[in-house]
Amino acid sequence: MLNQCRLLLIFFPLFTFLLFPQNIQSIKVSGNKIFSEKEIISWSGLAIASKWRQEFLDSAITRIVTNLSERGYFHPDFKGSSVGFDSDSSLLIISLVIDEGKPTYVGKIIVGLQDSTEKEELNETFKYLEGSIFTKVEFEKTVELLLDKYENTGH
C-alpha cells in the first residue's frame, strides 16, 4: 500500500500537467539585434494566456526560422531557448534566445541567353538587387514582373 501511495505522489503531478496544460504567462525574447521582440513573438504564433503544449516550442521556432529566411537571415541560432514555470507551476514563462545570424547578400545575378540584347535587358532588370540583403519576396516580385512583361509581349 505504501508503494502505491508513493507511485501516486510521483505520477499525479505528471498526469495533472498532461491533462491540464498550463497557460503562457509571458514570452521573453533576448539576443535579437535586427528584429524587434514584438516581430519575433508575432512570427512565433505564441500568445500570452493561451494553453501550452510542449510541441508548441518547436512549431514556434520553425515559424520564426521561416520568417527570418524570407528576410535573408538563413542561419539563426536558438541556443538557450527554454520553457519555465512560475513559483506554483501553474503558468509558463517562455524564453526565446535568438541570434539572427548574418544576412545573405545578393552578389550578382547573371542570366544566360543566346540573344545578347535580351540578355542585357534581363541582367539590367536584376541589377538593383545586387548588394542588397536577399529577400524571397523582392526576388519573386522581380521575376513576376518579368513574366508579366514577356506574357504581354507575346512570348
Side-chain angles (χ1 to χ4, degrees):
M1 178 69 175
L2 186 58
N3 286 337
Q4 291 173 339
C5 288
R6 283 185 188 164
L7 285 175
L8 185 61
L9 287 173
I10 291 171
F11 288 110
F12 182 72
L14 178 63
F15 289 127
T16 305
F17 176 76
L18 293 173
L19 294 174
F20 305 104
Q22 286 83 0
N23 289 338
I24 299 172
Q25 179 184 27
S26 68
I27 305 166
K28 298 175 184 175
V29 176
S30 61
N32 53 312
K33 296 177 184 103
I34 310 301
F35 300 98
S36 72
E37 180 178 37
K38 185 177 179 179
E39 283 176 301
I40 292 169
I41 290 172
S42 73
W43 295 341
S44 75
L46 299 172
I48 293 175
S50 64
K51 297 285 185 199
W52 172 256
R53 292 202 129 7
Q54 183 58 40
E55 60 271 14
F56 289 0
L57 183 60
D58 289 336
S59 297
I61 289 173
T62 299
R63 285 191 291 272
I64 293 168
V65 167
T66 299
N67 277 280
L68 287 170
S69 66
E70 286 176 356
R71 289 159 178 80
Y73 292 81
F74 294 98
H75 307 287
D77 186 8
F78 288 87
K79 288 181 184 164
S81 295
S82 63
V83 177
F85 300 95
D86 68 345
S87 58
D88 67 354
S89 298
S90 63
L91 298 172
L92 284 160
I93 300 165
I94 299 171
S95 176
L96 297 171
V97 181
I98 298 174
D99 176 4
E100 294 108 333
K102 294 182 180 179
T104 300
Y105 290 90
V106 176
K108 189 164 184 80
I109 298 174
I110 301 171
V111 178
L113 291 174
Q114 297 296 334
D115 183 359
S116 63
T117 309
E118 211 170 330
K119 182 169 123 179
E120 283 298 317
E121 185 180 340
L122 287 173
N123 285 329
E124 199 59 40
T125 302
F126 286 104
K127 194 166 188 70
Y128 82 97
L129 293 171
E130 293 176 6
S132 65
I133 295 174
F134 177 81
T135 61
K136 180 181 172 186
V137 172
E138 193 65 32
F139 182 77
E140 287 178 351
K141 184 175 84 175
T142 304
V143 170
E144 186 178 320
L145 289 172
L146 280 172
L147 291 173
D148 288 345
K149 176 185 173 192
Y150 278 106
E151 186 178 306
N152 291 336
T153 57
H155 282 84

